[in-house]
Amino acid sequence: MYQVIGGIISPVNDGYRKQDLVAAHHRVAMARLALQTSDWVQVDPWESEQVQWMETVKVLRHHHSELLRSLPQTEGQDHGRACSVAPTAVPELKLLCGADVLKTFQTPNLWKDAHIQEIVEKFGVVCVSRTGHNPKEYISGSPILRRYQHNIHLVREPVQNELSSTYIRRALSQGHSVKYLLPDAVISYIKDHNLYTRDSSWKGSSTQRNEGKTD
Amino acid sequence: MKSRIPVVLLACGSFNPITNMHLRLFEVARDHLHQTGMYQVIGGIISPVNDGYRKQDLVAAHHRVAMARLALQTSDWVQVDPWESEQVQWMETVKVLRHHHSELLRSLPQTEGQDHGRACSVAPTAVPELKLLCGADVLKTFQTPNLWKDAHIQEIVEKFGVVCVSRTGHNPKEYISGSPILRRYQHNIHLVREPVQNELSSTYIRRALSQGHSVKYLLPDAVISYIKDHNLYTRDSSWKGSSTQRNEGKTD
């Protein structure tokens, strides 16, 4: 049903004030380095460059309108593609996240109900499962999610993997190797800029404000 | 400062293909040994198994060696050694250990004062130890009847030593307590918890490739390119067969 035509990584604004969050320009730079070898995913610093933190639905709205504005106006653009994309098909922008984020929809007062609805109704979610989470439960436990479950794509990640940014920060603060867990270019950047060295980077568990953000 | 024992880690296996998980074994093992305060890891060796092992879906050794070499391009301490794969026939692990240990001894610098620049001193007369680096699944195969020779198991744990990195679904302490030989030499078996539980395996990679799925970020880009350029792991049969273990338990 779908042809994925692009991917966007949008690092959160510094205003989110999550513990141990290094400055946005660093996080954007690291993502850019990590994506050097990708031919379809890019980092977009727009969210991080705004004056303040903003809700996820606003980021989705922004990128969707940017997507619509950048559509080619001419026909016959699909030569060379293995399958055809209907010339008048409006691209859909879907929120890609882990199951842990889907779970946070349940947390009282974290997300606005209207926003959850807009996200699953107007955009759609692609949720990749992670160890210890059962996304089907989260969906069946929420009336809004149940109603739009056709627009929530659950993906089983066959390689169960507990790798997380929290683990990386802790390992780095303890002087352990993180090679092969993240791209070499990102590891070099971290060393060059002396990031994640302080012990406190592992002491604090992240406090979730406003909306559940993944690592 | 107390001198640390120099150690080289040797990993045997199919490496069919090599994955980031294999590469992580070395990093995790080195950190662990250093934290004990007793060891200084001075090198790592990846030794892909001989084609004579006849494991299902084993691509030719020269490919597996080439892929490991590409994967190790960015490592400053681990290398691939094709010696085992270039022998006339398959050989038991203990023989590979013996070979590399004697090579290690032959290559020792004879002069003194060689340790300038190192953060901690390695005793100039300390004999480097060569330890078998493996996952818990390999340690478990020691129990399989008729798979390993008892004398070999003993030589491995007594004369060389094992660094065993735990894997999902394995309990290495059980394997040790269930074997008299392993119990006797358990001081020479280092159990390392891999904090990042990871089910990545070469079998999974082969299956994903045969189904046309992406394996990007699971193994180095250079290895993925090599696999594509040489058309490896494309046939459906690469996932149908589960590997049959002969003679000794080899990891992916």
Side-chain angles (χ1 to χ4, degrees), chain B residues 96-105 127-130 160:
Chain B
V96 183
L97 281 161
R98 289 176 194 157
H99 164 78
H100 286 291
H101 192 238
S102 65
E103 287 294 295
L104 193 58
L105 295 177
V127 176
E129 295 185 8
L130 179 71
F160 298 102

Side-chain angles (χ1 to χ4, degrees), chain A residues 143-195:
Chain A
I144 303 178
L145 298 189
R146 273 203 314 273
R147 191 177 324 138
Y148 296 101
Q149 58 183 298
H150 58 280
N151 219 7
I152 302 174
H153 302 269
L154 299 183
V155 187
R156 289 252 88 197
E157 158 63 295
V159 180
Q160 286 303 321
N161 194 329
E162 291 180 14
L163 177 61
S164 71
S165 297
T166 304
Y167 169 81
I168 298 293
R169 293 194 300 269
R170 187 179 333 171
L172 287 168
S173 73
Q174 296 176 348
H176 291 155
S177 166
V178 294
K179 196 166 166 67
Y180 310 116
L181 297 178
L182 54 169
D184 282 342
V186 179
I187 299 177
S188 299
Y189 184 98
I190 290 172
K191 284 186 162 52
D192 293 343
H193 293 83
N194 236 13
L195 305 177

Side-chain angles (χ1 to χ4, degrees), chain A residues 8-23:
Chain A
I8 301 169
I9 284 186
S10 177
V12 77
N13 193 289
D14 283 336
Y16 189 58
R17 297 206 155 287
K18 190 167 174 179
Q19 188 153 9
D20 307 322
L21 197 64
V22 305

Side-chain angles (χ1 to χ4, degrees), chain A:
Chain A
M1 292 197 302
Y2 301 100
Q3 180 67 28
V4 177
I5 60 174
I8 301 169
I9 284 186
S10 177
V12 77
N13 193 289
D14 283 336
Y16 189 58
R17 297 206 155 287
K18 190 167 174 179
Q19 188 153 9
D20 307 322
L21 197 64
V22 305
H25 68 93
H26 283 314
R27 290 180 286 112
V28 167
M30 289 187 282
R32 191 162 279 135
L33 287 169
L35 292 168
Q36 271 173 341
T37 65
S38 176
D39 59 3
W40 68 282
V41 185
Q42 328 181 46
V43 61
D44 193 315
W46 179 84
E47 178 183 356
S48 68
E49 288 170 351
Q50 299 312 296
V51 172
Q52 59 188 14
W53 174 83
M54 57 172 41
E55 292 108 326
T56 298
V57 75
K58 294 180 181 165
V59 183
L60 281 161
R61 290 175 194 158
H62 165 79
H63 286 291
H64 193 235
S65 67
E66 287 293 296
L67 193 58
L68 296 177
R69 289 197 318 138
S70 70
L71 282 180
Q73 297 305 315
T74 62
E75 297 189 3
Q77 283 281 322
D78 60 343
H79 52 269
R81 286 205 203 127
C83 70
S84 71
V85 172
T88 51
V90 177
E92 294 184 11
L93 179 71
K94 297 197 179 301
L95 181 67
L96 171 64
C97 64
D100 53 337
V101 174
L102 201 71
K103 184 177 186 184
T104 69
F105 281 179
Q106 299 169 353
T107 310
N109 302 322
L110 200 60
W111 299 80
K112 294 191 172 93
D113 279 354
H115 286 183
I116 297 179
Q117 171 146 353
E118 184 175 342
I119 289 172
V120 295
E121 181 187 3
K122 297 205 155 49
F123 298 102
V125 175
V126 182
C127 171
V128 181
S129 64
R130 194 167 177 170
T131 317
H133 288 275
N134 188 348
K136 284 186 181 164
E137 267 180 33
Y138 309 150
I139 294 178
S140 47
S142 155
I144 303 178
L145 298 189
R146 273 203 314 273
R147 191 177 324 138
Y148 296 101
Q149 58 183 298
H150 58 280
N151 219 7
I152 302 174
H153 302 269
L154 299 183
V155 187
R156 289 252 88 197
E157 158 63 295
V159 180
Q160 286 303 321
N161 194 329
E162 291 180 14
L163 177 61
S164 71
S165 297
T166 304
Y167 169 81
I168 298 293
R169 293 194 300 269
R170 187 179 333 171
L172 287 168
S173 73
Q174 296 176 348
H176 291 155
S177 166
V178 294
K179 196 166 166 67
Y180 310 116
L181 297 178
L182 54 169
D184 282 342
V186 179
I187 299 177
S188 299
Y189 184 98
I190 290 172
K191 284 186 162 52
D192 293 343
H193 293 83
N194 236 13
L195 305 177
Y196 308 120
T197 51
R198 294 172 302 114
D199 278 89
S200 66
S201 68
W202 66 265
K203 281 186 196 148
S205 59
S206 58
T207 48
Q208 306 250 353
R209 305 202 182 192
N210 294 319
E211 287 176 12
K213 290 283 180 181
T214 54
D215 280 334

Side-chain angles (χ1 to χ4, degrees), chain A residues 34-35 37-38 157-163 167 174-181 183-184, chain B residues 20 23-24 27 31 35 71-72 74-75 194-200 204 216-218 221:
Chain A
L35 292 168
T37 65
S38 176
E157 158 63 295
V159 180
Q160 286 303 321
N161 194 329
E162 291 180 14
L163 177 61
Y167 169 81
Q174 296 176 348
H176 291 155
S177 166
V178 294
K179 196 166 166 67
Y180 310 116
L181 297 178
D184 282 342
Chain B
N20 284 342
L23 301 165
R24 276 303 293 166
E27 300 291 312
D31 281 343
Q35 271 199 305
L72 292 168
T74 66
S75 177
E194 159 62 294
V196 179
Q197 286 304 323
N198 195 331
E199 291 181 16
L200 175 62
Y204 169 80
K216 197 165 165 67
Y217 310 118
L218 298 179
D221 281 343

Side-chain angles (χ1 to χ4, degrees), chain B residues 1-22:
Chain B
M1 183 194 309
K2 199 168 66 156
S3 300
R4 291 169 176 244
I5 301 169
V7 170
V8 172
L9 298 171
L10 170 73
C12 299
S14 305
F15 301 104
N16 185 36
I18 190 166
T19 71
N20 284 342
M21 177 208 66
H22 294 124

